[in-house]
Amino acid sequence: MNRFTKIHRASRFFMLAFFIINATTAQEIEPLNVFGSEYDEHQPIIHDSGAIYFTKAFHPENRGGKEDPGDIWYAAPSQIGVFQLPVVLKEMSTAYYDLLIGFLAPDTALVYHDNLLDQQVLSKYHKNQNGQWEKGDMVSIPGFKIDGSHFSARLHASGRIMVMAMKSFGSYGNEDLYISKMEGNQWSRPLNLGPTLNTFQQELSPFLSEDGHTLFFSSNAHGAEDGKQVYVSHRLDDQWTNWTPPKTLPLPSKDGMNQYYVEDPIHQKAYYTNTQTSDGYGNIMYLGEGEFPLMKSQMDWSSQNLPEKSPLKEEDLVISSEAQENRILEKIETKADSTSQEASFDEIFMDLEPGATIPLDRVFFKRGSADLVDVGSADYIRALSKYLLDHPEINVLLEGHTDSYGSARLNKELSINRANTIRNIMVEAGVPFERINATGWGGDKPIASNQTPEGREKNRRVEMVILEK
């Protein structure tokens, strides 16, 4: 049985569990503490063998002792209880923060190290003939840059899709959700999953279902009342930026925050970390026999208008950013007016000095939205991206602006979202993310009166400031 067959069979169980109508849905579900530890435990991942791997912080047996913010631990399955007593995997750990992201294959792991050789890196580990893990090559992801203190990620069951949570270029605020896919040995540039999921607050600890249609993550946005809670959303089509509005996953009522949700197709259980206070330690919890389907049955998807589900397609896993960039550039280069467009940009940039501002007056957004109005706006941004690719000495700042009507806070959010939309297209077209900054001013910097429709239209704009040339 190949890996995709296993994925599809397991996914049928979980999708069925979503739609079970159980007469006992009002029953109280009590989650169980897996280890009953006094230490901070999170990011549970289930191996094909049934063993559980997770990160444990501030334990005296960690590589860095009680000050170590997280080493990788392991617990084998048990015939008596859930798992045997866990042990630290020092061969996978450092004196800094370490996080197992998942398994590329049963004998190949992918690990994030917060400080390895003074870098934030992803590294492969391989299991040798003696059953010990040995460090392998570092993994390179184009455009991978963490601009903050948090990183969490999980591999899809195929080992070829990675969903990440981090603050990076293109983020809407704090940590956002991104996806990267592997073709051969190359991971694609991280793609922001879009404003339906991502907010100005935190989106963390993602987990993608085995059929590739359902995403679980934690957030303190989307109406969360008690800190971070687990949310679930469904992918609406074959794109990775179109999702249903997130809904709270009905985990058992318990004080504190819930994060790091993951499903175990081997034992038909679900695991997650519950933290009693915002700065307290987390315990790995699980739903016992019969409780996981019961919890899923309480979800009401009738109002979501979900598309018909199909198994994750092979082509969903092998689209690389390099191929996407080549197709974008090919489209630009074959346009009839590509030569005149290049000459137009030459004329625009020729006499400008650093600090000069260029209005992007051929880019149009839907009213009250960060979505582009037409294909022409996207084509213009891609043509501009090609010019920046051909002139690597130019670094720019994208500034979003709105009129002054409505909420000042929402206007600022909208202005940043619009600048980020342009930056995302530029990065997808191959412009290095470090060459593009983005910000938003809302209605704070008008260039015309907000008392007339014409003035308000002029104030709704995105401008590009030349930083270096």
Side-chain angles (χ1 to χ4, degrees):
M1 184 183 299
N2 63 36
R3 194 168 183 82
F4 283 109
T5 302
K6 291 180 180 178
I7 291 172
H8 297 159
R9 288 187 178 180
S11 67
R12 282 197 292 268
F13 163 77
F14 288 116
M15 289 303 102
L16 177 62
F18 268 114
F19 296 98
I20 292 175
I21 303 300
N22 193 309
T24 60
T25 55
Q27 175 181 335
E28 182 68 22
I29 303 172
E30 179 63 28
L32 304 175
N33 193 326
V34 176
F35 299 115
S37 169
E38 62 182 291
Y39 299 98
D40 189 13
E41 301 163 345
H42 57 270
Q43 183 84 341
I45 290 180
I46 308 299
H47 187 262
D48 285 354
S49 65
I52 187 171
Y53 290 74
F54 59 96
T55 289
K56 181 181 287 191
F58 312 119
H59 192 282
E61 294 182 23
N62 281 1
R63 288 286 293 269
K66 292 183 178 180
E67 302 300 318
D68 191 323
D71 275 6
I72 297 170
W73 287 61
Y74 153 87
S78 171
Q79 297 296 325
I80 302 175
V82 182
F83 298 103
Q84 299 178 24
L85 290 176
V87 296
V88 61
L89 289 175
K90 292 193 175 181
E91 61 267 32
M92 267 191 189
S93 303
T94 70
Y96 300 92
Y97 181 71
D98 309 297
L99 188 79
L100 176 67
I101 295 174
F103 297 94
L104 298 162
D107 61 351
T108 306
L110 185 62
V111 175
Y112 167 75
H113 297 296
D114 183 60
N115 190 332
L116 185 65
L117 303 177
D118 295 322
Q119 299 180 67
Q120 296 170 312
V121 301
L122 301 174
S123 183
K124 291 182 183 178
Y125 284 80
H126 305 278
K127 185 172 283 190
N128 61 25
Q129 294 180 345
N130 298 322
Q132 300 296 311
W133 290 99
E134 296 181 346
K135 189 176 180 301
D137 297 332
M138 292 186 184
V139 174
S140 175
I141 300 179
F144 177 72
K145 181 175 176 62
I146 304 170
D147 185 20
S149 60
H150 176 91
F151 175 78
S152 56
R154 280 201 183 98
L155 286 176
H156 178 258
S158 66
R160 294 161 62 189
I161 297 178
M162 184 179 355
V163 188
M164 300 172 281
M166 59 184 175
K167 183 178 180 182
S168 188
F169 290 92
S171 295
Y172 293 94
N174 291 308
E175 290 81 6
D176 275 3
L177 302 175
Y178 294 79
I179 190 169
S180 177
K181 292 172 281 185
M182 184 170 65
E183 182 178 35
N185 293 321
Q186 179 62 53
W187 288 92
S188 66
R189 185 181 300 275
L191 172 69
N192 189 296
L193 294 186
T196 301
L197 301 181
N198 291 319
T199 70
F200 274 76
Q201 294 176 268
Q202 292 179 302
E203 282 71 46
L204 309 170
S205 60
F207 165 69
L208 182 65
S209 67
E210 296 193 65
D211 68 355
H213 289 283
T214 306
L215 182 68
F216 302 85
F217 63 97
S218 297
S219 178
N220 55 2
H222 304 290
E225 297 179 356
D226 301 313
K228 300 180 184 72
Q229 299 300 325
V230 176
Y231 290 86
V232 59
S233 177
H234 293 278
R235 191 155 58 103
L236 288 171
D237 51 31
D238 59 355
Q239 303 300 309
W240 290 95
T241 54
N242 297 328
W243 300 86
T244 60
K247 296 183 67 173
T248 307
L249 192 69
L251 292 171
S253 177
K254 200 169 181 67
D255 293 337
M257 300 180 296
N258 296 319
Q259 300 184 73
Y260 298 99
Y261 177 88
V262 67
E263 293 172 347
D264 175 8
I266 297 174
H267 303 107
Q268 298 186 359
K269 290 183 173 67
Y271 298 86
Y272 61 99
T273 292
N274 174 261
T275 304
Q276 292 298 317
T277 63
S278 60
D279 58 353
Y281 288 174
N283 291 314
I284 295 177
M285 316 296 290
Y286 81 99
L287 303 173
E289 295 294 336
E291 293 175 343
F292 174 55
L294 177 62
M295 181 271 292
K296 286 293 186 70
S297 73
Q298 296 181 41
M299 295 299 292
D300 177 16
W301 305 107
S302 59
S303 63
Q304 296 277 2
N305 296 318
L306 299 178
E308 183 177 352
K309 293 180 172 59
S310 59
L312 195 66
K313 301 185 294 296
E314 180 74 16
E315 53 265 32
D316 285 339
L317 305 176
V318 297
I319 300 175
S320 70
S321 61
E322 182 179 0
Q324 291 173 335
E325 290 161 11
N326 288 339
R327 286 198 295 269
I328 290 169
L329 294 179
E330 181 181 18
K331 180 178 179 181
I332 294 171
E333 290 166 357
T334 55
K335 290 177 73 69
D337 62 346
S338 61
T339 302
S340 61
Q341 183 69 76
E342 183 80 9
S344 173
F345 286 133
D346 276 330
E347 183 178 345
I348 291 172
F349 281 89
M350 182 180 300
D351 299 324
L352 295 181
E353 298 294 332
T357 298
I358 302 171
L360 301 183
D361 51 10
R362 290 180 57 183
V363 179
F364 300 99
F365 293 91
K366 295 178 181 178
R367 187 172 183 86
S369 167
D371 296 331
L372 298 176
V373 167
D374 55 11
V375 175
S377 294
D379 286 343
Y380 179 80
I381 297 169
R382 289 166 182 153
L384 179 56
S385 302
K386 183 178 183 303
Y387 185 86
L388 293 177
L389 281 171
D390 293 340
H391 296 78
E393 72 281 5
I394 300 176
N395 294 333
V396 300
L397 167 67
L398 299 171
E399 293 188 329
H401 302 270
T402 68
D403 59 37
S404 62
Y405 276 35
S407 164
R409 178 182 62 83
L410 294 178
N411 282 340
K412 187 169 184 179
E413 290 181 4
L414 178 61
S415 66
I416 294 176
N417 287 347
R418 288 178 170 177
N420 280 332
T421 293
I422 296 175
R423 179 168 60 177
N424 287 342
I425 295 174
M426 288 181 165
V427 170
E428 289 173 6
V431 182
F433 57 81
E434 63 268 17
R435 292 177 55 195
I436 311 168
N437 293 313
T439 190
W441 294 96
D444 291 345
K445 292 189 175 183
I447 58 174
S449 171
N450 281 299
Q451 302 306 311
T452 65
E454 295 78 13
R456 291 193 294 273
E457 183 176 354
K458 289 181 180 180
N459 290 332
R460 297 190 291 265
R461 69 200 188 278
V462 177
E463 298 174 333
M464 185 170 67
V465 181
I466 299 176
L467 298 180
E468 296 181 27
K469 183 173 182 285

